[in-house]
């Protein structure tokens, strides 16, 4: 469990740095340290019913630091879109491999790779396209850490675990009216698992608690530091 917690922490840190890179690529004009703090302060917004409160909170904090509203929302939406696209791609490739459709998996993987290179150069209004590409690679690098954390908590063939986990995560992200996809992610992943549904459900609930604990620590630390800075100003 300790290793799983460490991997989830690493996953969170990589996602934070990816957002910092993306924010600079979008030309928000906010320095890296304040961006890390506002990212952490907005983490718990996703647990409020409605599905948009994390994005709203993040965009509002960015505007408070002088970022134009259009760029703030643009950055937040790209972040969510990149994460969702990665999860869907991994789930689809895994599903093809489970069904012994190697050619389809190879074509999907190729398409995903081409898209990863092309999209940063096709998106409008980016101030630094190279940095946007690096941010995308950072988001991709966070995914193996996420998978490895779950692999520490449940003994399931890795390909099946990856397929079920990322399919469930995709469903949870799309269920925007449900706080952080709570219940949707776990239900979809456990139902897709052929013979390990109960074990996977238990692991996902435990991982959810670990992730929530990490996010509370990040958010609390950021708010305390933010309040100290305001008091000293």
């Amino acid at each position: 469990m300790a290793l799983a917690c460490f991997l989830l922490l690493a996953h969170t840190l990589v996602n934070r740095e990816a957002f910092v890179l993306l924010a600079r690529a979008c030309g928000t004009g906010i320095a890296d340290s304040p961006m890390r703090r506002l990212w952490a302060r907005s983490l718990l917004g996703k647990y409020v019913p409605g599905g948009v409160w994390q994005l709203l909170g993040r965009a509002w904090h960015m505007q408070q630091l002088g970022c134009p509203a259009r760029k703030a929302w643009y950055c937040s939406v790209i972040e969510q879109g990149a994460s969702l696209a990665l999860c869907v791609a991994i789930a689809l490739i895994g599903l093809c491999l489970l069904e012994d459709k190697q050619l389809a998996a190879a074509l999907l993987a190729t398409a995903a790779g081409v898209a990863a290179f092309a999209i940063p150069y096709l998106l409008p209004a980016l101030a630094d396209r190279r940095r946007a590409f690096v941010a995308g690679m950072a988001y991709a690098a966070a995914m193996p850490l996420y998978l490895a954390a779950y692999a520490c908590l449940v003994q399931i063939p890795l390909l099946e675990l990856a397929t079920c986990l990322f399919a469930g995560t995709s469903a949870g992200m799309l269920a925007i009216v449900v706080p952080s996809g709570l219940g949707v992610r776990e239900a979809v992943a456990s139902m897709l698992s052929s013979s390990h549904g109960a074990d996977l459900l238990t692991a996902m609930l435990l991982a959810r608690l670990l992730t929530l604990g990490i996010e509370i620590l990040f958010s609390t630390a950021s708010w305390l530091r933010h309040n100290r800075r305001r008091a000293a100003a």
Side-chain angles (χ1 to χ4, degrees):
M1 188 182 298
L3 180 56
C5 190
F6 172 79
L7 289 166
L8 288 170
L9 174 61
H11 167 76
T12 303
L13 288 170
V14 172
N15 272 329
R16 184 189 68 181
E17 294 309 304
F19 184 76
V20 171
L21 286 167
L22 179 60
R24 293 184 67 182
C26 290
T28 61
I30 302 174
D32 291 356
S33 292
M35 186 61 71
R36 291 186 181 100
R37 291 195 295 271
L38 73 84
W39 180 90
R41 289 201 302 275
S42 64
L43 275 175
L44 299 181
K46 63 187 175 183
Y47 294 102
V48 178
V52 299
W53 300 109
Q54 182 184 24
L55 297 182
L56 181 63
R58 193 163 290 168
W60 182 81
H61 284 306
M62 292 167 74
Q63 290 174 65
Q64 293 297 106
L65 293 177
C67 174
R70 179 179 59 83
K71 290 185 177 182
W73 277 100
Y74 191 53
C75 181
S76 296
V77 170
I78 290 176
E79 178 199 27
Q80 293 298 305
S83 297
L84 177 59
L86 283 165
C87 290
V88 170
I90 295 170
L92 289 176
I93 292 169
L95 183 61
C96 288
L97 291 173
L98 283 175
E99 295 183 352
D100 204 27
K101 298 178 179 178
Q102 285 84 358
L103 179 58
L107 290 174
L108 280 170
T110 301
V114 171
F117 279 99
I119 288 175
Y121 297 94
L122 297 175
L123 285 172
L126 285 177
D128 188 336
R129 299 184 186 281
R130 179 181 174 277
R131 200 181 297 275
F133 171 75
V134 175
M137 294 301 99
Y139 281 118
M143 296 303 175
L145 297 170
Y146 181 66
L147 174 60
Y150 282 83
C152 292
L153 298 173
V154 61
Q155 299 300 311
I156 296 177
L158 191 60
L159 180 57
E160 181 183 347
L161 174 60
T163 304
C164 296
L165 175 61
F166 286 102
T169 301
S170 300
M173 294 179 71
L174 289 170
I176 59 174
V177 297
V178 181
S180 190
L182 185 61
V184 175
R185 178 186 303 184
E186 292 78 8
V188 170
S190 60
M191 284 190 297
L192 286 174
S193 181
S194 58
S195 56
H196 304 92
D199 292 337
L200 182 54
L201 178 59
T202 301
M204 293 192 75
L205 291 174
L206 179 56
R208 174 77 74 167
L209 290 174
L210 293 174
T211 300
L212 178 59
I214 290 169
E215 290 174 343
I216 289 173
L217 287 175
F218 266 83
S219 185
T220 301
S222 179
W223 275 109
L224 289 174
R225 188 171 182 182
H226 175 69
N227 291 336
R228 284 199 299 267
R229 284 176 172 268
R230 289 185 60 184

